[in-house]
Amino acid sequence: MFSIKNYNFKGKKALIRVDFNVPLNHNRQITDDTRIRECLPTINKVLNDGGAVILMTHLGRPNGYEADYSLTPLAPLLSKLIGRNVIFTRDLFGPKTHDFAKNLKMGEVIMLENLRFYPEEERGDEKFAAEIASLADVYINDAFATSHRAHTSVCTVAKKFPEGKKFFGLLMENEIENLDKLLRDAPAPFTAIIGGAKVSTKIGVLRNLVDKVDNLIIGGGMAFTFLKALGGKVGSSIYEEDKIESARQIVQEVMLKGVNLYLPTDMLVSSGFSNEAEFMTVSADNVPDGWMGLDIGPKTRRRFAEIINNSQTILWNGPMGVFEMENFRQGTKSIAIAVAGATISGSFSLVGGGDSVAAINQYNLADQMSYVSTGGGAMLEYLEGRELPGIQVIRGNNKENKPKKASERAAPVAKKRVIRKLR
Ligand code: AMP
């Protein structure tokens, strides 16, 4: 009932919240149009039904109106992609925009100016929402990557539309369906690979996943907080002193739930945070003073790849090392290859988060994954088991399709208890 698939938009003006937060170079040319392409199925569905489209998005983080953040370059590109003229309003509301919307003919598309030129966008402003909502007959949220923010265009505007007139776009529906595959009865063995710089941004996800996964692989800078919590020596590697206790609790929970925890056993350590600095391989729990771990070592790469190869369900978020530097990208690359290999052999894989997605793109492996999420923060919050504000406002209290809580799922089959870690 929230899907646009079963709705006919003929004669309707659809207000679509998209996330066209695309990267631009200094000449204001779009360097990657993926975010625009991903919303084309939703836009085309409305147009092909015989409806009209009003698009709204944010771009960057402008402080009030800043010409550099205007959506001017986006309209011609979208126009080319959909093969129709796109009218750019140069405003969000006001008499001119109202006239455009009022006179909008079916089959036409208008794009409103950057939502974030208006401070009301981030405040959940009722008046601002009513103005925008008045432009259209129905509302569609196709901006998964922004749906964890209770911003006006995501929440307050949606509230102005009754049930039956607000929907998830096709991208949004895809995200929910694929993320739910991980949260509900994912085929075992289910392996989560979590990396990146900080534990602090991923504690919620780790806690929620412990209930669901068979194997938890931790790499990247965040592994050092765990290694430290287990009594290891981390030298000058990054770790979060104030998260050591949380890491310890997660380790305890992992043991209690019978999940296999895999931390790096060897590391590439460097004498400085630079590709030019000297580097060597050492035992992960014994990083010498003055050296910092910047990637997982060869033994760890092989071990992690083996676990991944034997998994039926795989989630990957966060690089295994400082993959931006050539000398420290091997760990991330080997994970990308292992996940792609497992997927080719029939496993379900979901990759998300800016850096992991950048990595699989860099190695031309994105097409080999079962699903690549468009959400960074939104994906993590979803996997924490939280209902995102932009999803809640459309579903209301309707329980249809909500992921089950741990207490509602069937009891897990007892698993073997193993902590493979510091030897
Ligand atoms: P996140 O946004 O938390 O997924 O973190 C991604 C960032 O973590 C990337 O920019 C990596 O360079 C960085 N990172 C991964 N491993 C390490 C490490 N061992 N030391 C420092 N930074 C790291």
Side-chain angles (χ1 to χ4, degrees):
M1 80 185 286
F2 315 111
S3 170
I4 62 171
K5 284 181 192 154
N6 308 319
Y7 189 84
N8 190 339
F9 289 89
K10 190 170 168 49
K12 301 279 187 229
K13 291 175 189 170
L15 178 62
I16 314 181
R17 179 34 161 127
V18 286
D19 186 336
F20 285 176
N21 189 21
V22 288
L24 298 171
N25 64 16
H26 55 276
N27 290 324
R28 306 217 62 232
Q29 288 161 328
I30 297 161
T31 53
D32 182 351
D33 62 5
T34 313
R35 283 177 178 241
I36 298 180
R37 287 177 185 278
E38 275 160 346
C39 290
L40 295 181
T42 297
I43 296 170
N44 285 329
K45 154 76 177 151
V46 174
L47 295 174
N48 293 339
D49 276 1
V53 167
I54 302 168
L55 293 169
M56 53 176 178
T57 181
H58 70 282
L59 178 71
R61 293 179 177 277
N63 194 3
Y65 179 83
E66 288 184 51
D68 277 355
Y69 292 94
S70 167
L71 303 185
T72 341
L74 274 66
L77 177 73
L78 178 64
S79 192
K80 215 158 95 190
L81 291 172
I82 58 174
R84 296 174 196 236
N85 184 35
V86 175
I87 307 157
F88 178 50
T89 62
R90 294 185 182 277
D91 202 351
L92 195 51
F93 50 70
K96 223 174 92 194
T97 304
H98 259 276
D99 278 352
F100 273 134
K102 206 171 135 207
N103 300 322
L104 189 66
K105 296 193 186 62
M106 294 305 125
E108 289 185 340
V109 180
I110 61 181
M111 183 185 279
L112 308 180
E113 182 54 292
N114 193 345
L115 286 159
R116 290 202 185 150
F117 283 170
Y118 302 81
E120 291 93 333
E121 161 62 356
E122 300 194 15
R123 282 194 214 132
D125 190 280
E126 290 290 340
K127 195 162 161 267
F128 180 85
E131 283 267 4
I132 300 175
S134 73
L135 301 175
D137 305 308
V138 293
Y139 173 89
I140 301 172
N141 182 350
D142 213 20
F144 176 73
T146 321
S147 293
H148 58 315
R149 304 195 192 281
H151 288 173
T152 307
S153 59
V154 172
C155 286
T156 331
V157 175
K159 280 188 198 146
K160 305 283 174 207
F161 292 83
E163 202 170 290
K165 291 206 164 169
K166 51 185 168 191
F167 306 92
F168 295 131
L170 297 170
L171 169 65
M172 186 82 167
E173 196 181 331
N174 237 344
E175 290 278 355
I176 295 172
E177 261 173 36
N178 281 287
L179 288 166
D180 282 352
K181 283 185 193 163
L182 301 178
L183 297 180
R184 306 174 182 200
D185 309 320
F190 176 4
T191 299
I193 310 143
I194 309 291
K198 291 181 171 177
V199 182
S200 46
T201 52
K202 304 198 178 161
I203 282 180
V205 176
L206 291 170
R207 289 223 164 97
N208 198 37
L209 288 177
V210 164
D211 262 348
K212 299 171 176 62
V213 300
D214 302 282
N215 303 310
L216 179 59
I217 290 180
I218 293 181
M222 61 185 274
F224 293 104
T225 305
F226 282 87
L227 291 164
K228 183 100 180 157
L230 293 170
K233 242 185 99 210
V234 301
S236 305
S237 311
I238 53 163
Y239 75 95
E240 292 163 279
E241 183 68 44
D242 60 336
K243 292 292 172 276
I244 289 184
E245 194 41 45
S246 305
R248 217 171 263 140
Q249 284 168 9
I250 290 169
V251 171
Q252 273 167 7
E253 244 180 273
V254 155
M255 290 172 76
L256 221 65
K257 301 266 161 70
V259 172
N260 303 314
L261 174 66
Y262 298 92
L263 284 168
T265 50
D266 60 345
M267 281 281 180
L268 287 195
V269 295
S270 174
S271 55
F273 192 78
S274 153
N275 197 50
E276 275 64 55
E278 211 186 321
F279 64 96
M280 61 182 178
T281 304
V282 300
S283 172
D285 57 342
N286 199 12
V287 178
D289 289 341
W291 292 74
M292 58 182 79
L294 296 185
D295 197 6
I296 56 175
K299 260 201 270 172
T300 305
R301 292 202 298 262
R302 281 195 295 276
R303 186 78 184 113
F304 285 3
E306 198 180 296
I307 310 301
I308 293 166
N309 285 337
N310 290 319
S311 302
Q312 284 299 313
T313 307
I314 303 156
L315 161 70
W316 179 25
N317 172 274
M320 294 292 102
V322 186
F323 75 110
E324 297 92 337
M325 297 182 198
E326 182 147 9
N327 289 338
F328 308 108
R329 67 174 51 143
Q330 204 51 45
T332 302
K333 187 173 179 181
S334 60
I335 294 293
I337 292 169
V339 178
T343 313
I344 291 165
S345 311
S347 307
F348 173 78
S349 61
L350 189 148
V351 182
D355 288 303
S356 334
V357 175
I360 55 171
N361 284 330
Q362 200 173 324
Y363 312 129
N364 285 322
L365 290 170
D367 288 346
Q368 313 298 326
M369 308 296 164
S370 310
Y371 191 72
V372 180
S373 176
T374 57
M379 183 192 89
L380 290 177
E381 282 194 25
Y382 198 93
L383 292 175
E384 280 175 24
R386 293 204 242 164
E387 189 164 40
L388 310 186
I391 292 181
Q392 207 282 330
V393 71
I394 289 179
R395 276 191 183 138
N397 289 324
N398 200 314
K399 294 267 186 255
E400 183 195 333
N401 273 338
K402 282 193 184 182
K404 291 180 211 158
K405 295 207 178 85
S407 55
E408 296 165 352
R409 288 195 305 271
V413 180
K415 293 171 205 146
K416 210 169 68 194
R417 246 178 232 191
V418 194
I419 292 221
R420 279 185 222 287
K421 236 328 19 329
L422 297 174
R423 290 145 309 157

